[in-house]
Amino acid sequence: MPAHAIAETELDIEGLEGPLLSNVEAYISGIPEEDYSVSLRFQSRLEESINEALKALGYYQPITAFTVEGEKGDHTLLVTIDPGEPVYIYVSDIVITGEAKDDVDFIRAVDNSGLNLGQVLNHGNYESLKSTLQNLALRKGYFDGDFLLNQLEVAPGRHQAMVRLHYDSGQRYSFGATTIEGSQIEEKRVRSIIPFKEGDPYLASQIGDLNQSLSNTEWFSSVYVEPDLDSVGKNRQLPMKVHLSPQVRNQIETSIGYSTDVGVKGKIRWKKPWLNQYGHSLDSAISVSKPEQEATVSYKIPLEQVLKDYYIVKYGLKNVDNRDTDSLESNLAFERHWVFDSGWHRTVYTRFLYEEFTQGIQDGTAWLVLPGISFSQTRTRGGTMPMWGDKKAFTIEATDQALTSDAKLLRLQVQGAIIRSLGENHRGVARAEVGAIYTDDFYKLPPSIRFFAGGDNSIRGYGYEEVSPKDSKDNLTGGQFMATTSLEYQYRVVGDWWLATFVDYGDAWIETPDWKMGAGMGVRWASPVGPVRLDFAWGFDAEPGDEFKIHFTLGPEI
């Protein structure tokens, strides 16, 4: 153990390692440093703390020796500890009765308790099992559960411990009838969210799920779900009460942000979380940046499973004036959504796209009717800057002149990302994106259909959407195919601050790829509103004089 620097006395402990040393240090940390001395009184106090720390881990007969080293006024108190032989569990009498005797969670808790015959006694394991059984009972509806016997006996001279825990769970309660109060939404739509049926075994986690799901509808300003515990002991079923308060009819949000892709971006959003008793909602927004201006409005129609099945009708008008692209895009879409228990989200849609555009030396208009289907799934663990996660997204859309479209095409796009960590200080992020368009005449397609690469979330070291084939006058045309990939390693420096190093690779092309590489270093801050990323990147294949880029973004990494 490293010596602890004290005003006049240093303390050095020898003879212990691993959990024994850690527990002794934890107990000693409760003694103020200003009390450290070489006096017999302090040694006695220190020995008492050491004995308590070792007893908690089953070592009842330690031998402690003190040696004072150093000159007067500058002492080191050397504490040498022999923990002795531990106490082993000689009797393990742990019995579960009642309806929980066959419950796999209770059986697993006992098996993993560390209180089996022949194991070294650990008082923490004993207290932990007691707490685990009580918590399981509350979570799973064994509200009559109680200990008939809880006793821990120790015979230090024989190095034996007798553990006796008898727990009677009683009956397991089930969900009873659910009453809903205060809802402005048709009751059957609210009931479609309830994850349990009357008569199902009680699970506290399902009450939490119901709370979260009701909040996710955005229909209510407050949600409170509770079991009627007054029924405990009277009826096997627990009635459930759901208390709701309507959300306000209109919500307005404003925001302003910045990224090196589009510069300063302002947004105003107007939402009507509910329009009628059927839970229909309206969402509209206007966002403005120098290269892009967009207005959108969408109308959501929930079906019987309101969070899992719904329609969305949306319209968007977008103006783009960026590099060699100048376009005005009008998009009307009719979408059918399914959200599966696995987390996959499927969307089947038809969108009607009309776009007036100038792309380099090309001018034109395009009318496309685009049926399509998409699948996506995002999973994360660990807050706004997760330590584990992945994302998968697939989109296929196609059209033909038979649908009144100006062109025939099949467009495919696949995206994937993964986050993994090693310990608390090492984190890796990998991303990839692939796109392809199959068509008879690529140049009939508007810019919003074509592929461009480069920028904050693409190939860093290059400007926003500047990686693209070029026409005869060196203007960007957009690509028929695209493939990009990124590998990034992050190291936690301190707290929520990380350093990152990365390499990106890819291209957008028509006939033959001309692969581009970018690499660099960056800083990450896990802010309360999401990761903030500042990257310094070098484009190895960029135009001379334009190789260095600074990228700044705020938002999720996947």
Side-chain angles (χ1 to χ4, degrees), residues 266-303:
K267 184 175 183 179
I268 183 168
R269 186 180 183 189
W270 171 45
K271 295 175 60 179
K272 295 181 74 68
W274 61 279
L275 290 164
N276 51 39
Q277 64 178 332
Y278 307 110
H280 295 192
S281 59
L282 184 72
D283 192 351
S284 59
I286 296 175
S287 60
V288 178
S289 65
K290 185 176 179 181
E292 298 178 357
Q293 304 84 45
E294 183 175 17
T296 61
V297 59
S298 65
Y299 190 92
K300 183 177 180 180
I301 305 170
L303 301 177

Side-chain angles (χ1 to χ4, degrees), residues 10 113 150 178 284 318 321 381 396 431 445:
E10 291 184 350
S113 66
N150 61 97
T178 301
S284 59
K318 184 176 182 180
D321 185 1
R381 302 174 195 157
I396 303 173
R431 288 185 291 267
L445 305 182

Side-chain angles (χ1 to χ4, degrees), residues 228-363:
D228 183 3
L229 295 178
D230 291 338
S231 298
V232 172
K234 303 175 184 177
N235 193 323
R236 190 180 183 92
Q237 292 192 340
L238 289 180
M240 303 299 299
K241 297 179 181 179
V242 179
H243 305 277
L244 304 169
S245 297
Q247 185 59 272
V248 295
R249 299 294 293 263
N250 294 279
Q251 297 176 338
I252 295 179
E253 302 173 5
T254 59
S255 61
I256 188 168
Y258 176 85
S259 73
T260 46
D261 277 353
V262 299
V264 178
K265 182 176 182 178
K267 184 175 183 179
I268 183 168
R269 186 180 183 189
W270 171 45
K271 295 175 60 179
K272 295 181 74 68
W274 61 279
L275 290 164
N276 51 39
Q277 64 178 332
Y278 307 110
H280 295 192
S281 59
L282 184 72
D283 192 351
S284 59
I286 296 175
S287 60
V288 178
S289 65
K290 185 176 179 181
E292 298 178 357
Q293 304 84 45
E294 183 175 17
T296 61
V297 59
S298 65
Y299 190 92
K300 183 177 180 180
I301 305 170
L303 301 177
E304 290 186 4
Q305 296 289 328
V306 297
L307 289 175
K308 296 182 178 181
D309 299 285
Y310 51 90
Y311 289 103
I312 290 181
V313 180
K314 63 184 179 183
Y315 175 74
L317 185 65
K318 184 176 182 180
N319 182 68
V320 177
D321 185 1
N322 179 52
R323 298 186 184 277
D324 301 321
T325 303
D326 188 356
S327 76
L328 181 62
E329 172 191 345
S330 178
N331 223 323
L332 175 64
F334 297 89
E335 302 175 349
R336 172 68 164 93
H337 294 255
W338 294 264
V339 179
F340 300 103
D341 292 338
S342 62
W344 280 97
H345 185 162
R346 179 178 69 196
T347 306
V348 174
Y349 62 89
T350 298
R351 65 186 182 111
F352 301 85
L353 170 65
Y354 179 77
E355 190 166 346
E356 299 176 357
F357 65 90
T358 299
Q359 185 64 53
I361 62 174
Q362 181 191 6
D363 293 319

Side-chain angles (χ1 to χ4, degrees), residues 323 461-463 466 539 542-549:
R323 298 186 184 277
Y462 301 83
E466 76 171 17
E543 296 290 337
D546 195 33
E547 298 95 340
F548 180 70
K549 289 285 189 293

Side-chain angles (χ1 to χ4, degrees), residues 6 9 33-43 77:
I6 312 302
T9 302
E33 292 185 355
E34 57 268 23
D35 291 353
Y36 281 29
S37 73
V38 296
S39 68
L40 294 178
R41 177 177 293 182
F42 175 72
Q43 293 180 24
L77 183 60

